[in-house]
Amino acid sequence: MKPVFAYRIVSLALSGLLLAGCAELAQQKEPVPGDAMQAVNRHYNEAIALDGRLSVQYQQNRQDQALHGSFRWRQTAEHTSVTLMSPLGQILAVIEVDPGSATLTQSGQAPRVANDVDQLAAQSLGWPLPVAGLRSWLQGFATDAQGKRVIATPATKAFTSNDGWDIEYVSWDESDPAQVHPKRIDLQRDTEQAGNVKMRIVIDQWQAR
């Protein structure tokens, strides 16, 4: 083989390797889509303090009912406290949840105790309040109907949770990049007890502890 011809072969081979390496490097540096990056950067807070507004549409004895008011939500790793209030600030119900036990107290009534907080809330309030699920949903974390973990972002579409609630994250608070969180959440579910239940949750104040 002539030296010049051999040199050309080696040069072509090296050029091919360089091009392949550049292509691989370009793929490695390809930017992660913004929505995926937001999901990666978001994390679940065991302890949060929220204040907001709540509206519920449901049926009682086949009659349409509506409830509007505010709520206070306090959560730690082992405890959940929910206070429901009227538009004028009167306390309507207080729910306290500890591992294996839940207590619901309504104005002028004796406290009720049960093992399942969601069943306790539905029986006492007359409409379902998914306290157990909201521990995660209020922060944009959920498990969908297929058992897949959902980390919601401002681009997330509506989906159905593993316990039958349709969840839509309507708006977000992005004022603090380190604490991007849901601003408004709409929930809906068909129930035997209260018909088609529609719930709107608006978070006015958010604090991670």
Side-chain angles (χ1 to χ4, degrees), residues 1-2 5-6 11-12 70 86 91 128 150-151 161 176 197 199 205:
M1 181 181 295
K2 295 181 178 180
F5 184 70
S11 298
L12 289 173
S70 59
S86 72
I91 295 178
V150 177
I151 302 177
S161 71
D176 182 357
V197 178
M199 189 178 307
Q205 295 185 13

Side-chain angles (χ1 to χ4, degrees), residues 152-163:
T153 71
T156 300
K157 305 300 182 183
F159 61 93
T160 302
S161 71
N162 61 336
D163 55 356

Side-chain angles (χ1 to χ4, degrees), residues 96-109:
E96 303 285 347
V97 187
D98 293 297
S101 177
T103 303
L104 189 149
T105 305
Q106 291 174 289
S107 179
Q109 299 183 25

